[in-house]
């Protein structure tokens, strides 16, 4: 049963990543090819049932709209969609795998429009964050870019870090 739940959760996350191609302001590291000719059915259709889990894990997985693995870091950046996409709407996180029993150590970077990975190094990722701004006098929505350094010290034997920091950068 646990293996089925993991498989369904992974499938939901992959489907949500594929679906976000049509959400304005949200990008993924997955490229969807649209140049292929439509497939022709070759057998009977199999119906799928809507899936949910009592703890809401499937719904949370479906909210993932972007995933960027960090090579050789046992880590990934990911974004969860939600809220008003005109004013940010991508809740960005960095996560470090602990173990199958413990899952991931997850740290929230912030609510932004989008991020670009500028560079990576052991214990570090440099990001360009794109954020919505609101002019309180006029009510006009604008946007800005700010650069940050996300750093951590890897634990003993590659364990997840105990702390992560975000530092403004030029």
């Amino acid at each position: 049963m646990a293996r089925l739940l993991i498989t369904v959760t992974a499938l939901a996350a992959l489907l949500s990543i594929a679906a976000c191609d049509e959400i304005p302001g949200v990008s993924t590291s997955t490229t969807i090819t649209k140049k292929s000719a439509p497939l022709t059915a070759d057998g009977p259709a199999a119906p799928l049932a809507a899936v949910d889990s009592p703890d809401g894990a499937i719904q949370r997985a479906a909210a993932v709209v972007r995933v960027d693995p960090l090579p050789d870091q046992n880590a990934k950046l990911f974004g969860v969609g939600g809220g008003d996409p005109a004013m940010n709407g991508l809740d960005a996180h960095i996560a470090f795998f602990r173990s199958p029993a413990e899952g991931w150590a997850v740290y929230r970077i912030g609510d932004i429009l989008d991020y670009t990975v500028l560079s990576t190094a052991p214990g570090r990722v440099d990001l360009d964050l794109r954020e919505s701004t609101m002019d309180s006098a006029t009510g006009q929505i604008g946007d800005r870019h700010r650069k940050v350094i996300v750093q951590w010290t890897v634990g003993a034997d590659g364990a997840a870090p105990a702390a992560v920091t975000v530092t403004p950068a030029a």
Side-chain angles (χ1 to χ4, degrees), residues 88 113-114 128-133 142-146:
N88 298 315
L113 277 173
D114 201 4
D128 179 8
L129 306 179
R130 190 171 140 228
E131 302 172 296
S132 295
T133 59
D143 78 24
R144 70 175 178 190
H145 287 263
R146 69 181 174 101

Side-chain angles (χ1 to χ4, degrees), residues 61-122:
V64 173
V65 295
R66 179 172 178 173
V67 177
D68 294 285
L70 298 177
D72 303 321
Q73 303 250 22
N74 200 29
K76 63 183 170 184
L77 294 165
F78 72 95
V80 178
D84 180 359
M87 278 299 291
N88 298 315
L90 180 66
D91 201 11
H93 299 80
I94 187 165
F96 302 87
F97 189 70
R98 293 184 289 203
S99 71
E102 295 177 298
W104 295 84
V106 179
Y107 298 87
R108 185 174 185 266
I109 295 170
D111 185 19
I112 59 175
L113 277 173
D114 201 4
Y115 63 83
T116 300
V117 176
L118 300 174
S119 66
T120 63

Side-chain angles (χ1 to χ4, degrees), residues 5 8 49-59:
L5 181 58
V8 170
V51 179
D52 207 349
S53 57
D55 65 355
I58 297 296
Q59 291 299 315

Side-chain angles (χ1 to χ4, degrees), residues 8-23 26-30 32 57-67 78-81 90:
V8 170
T9 302
L11 178 60
L14 288 172
L15 289 174
S16 69
I17 290 169
C20 76
D21 187 52
E22 298 183 14
I23 299 172
V26 176
S27 62
T28 69
S29 58
T30 303
I32 299 171
I58 297 296
Q59 291 299 315
R60 290 188 301 276
V64 173
V65 295
R66 179 172 178 173
V67 177
F78 72 95
V80 178
L90 180 66

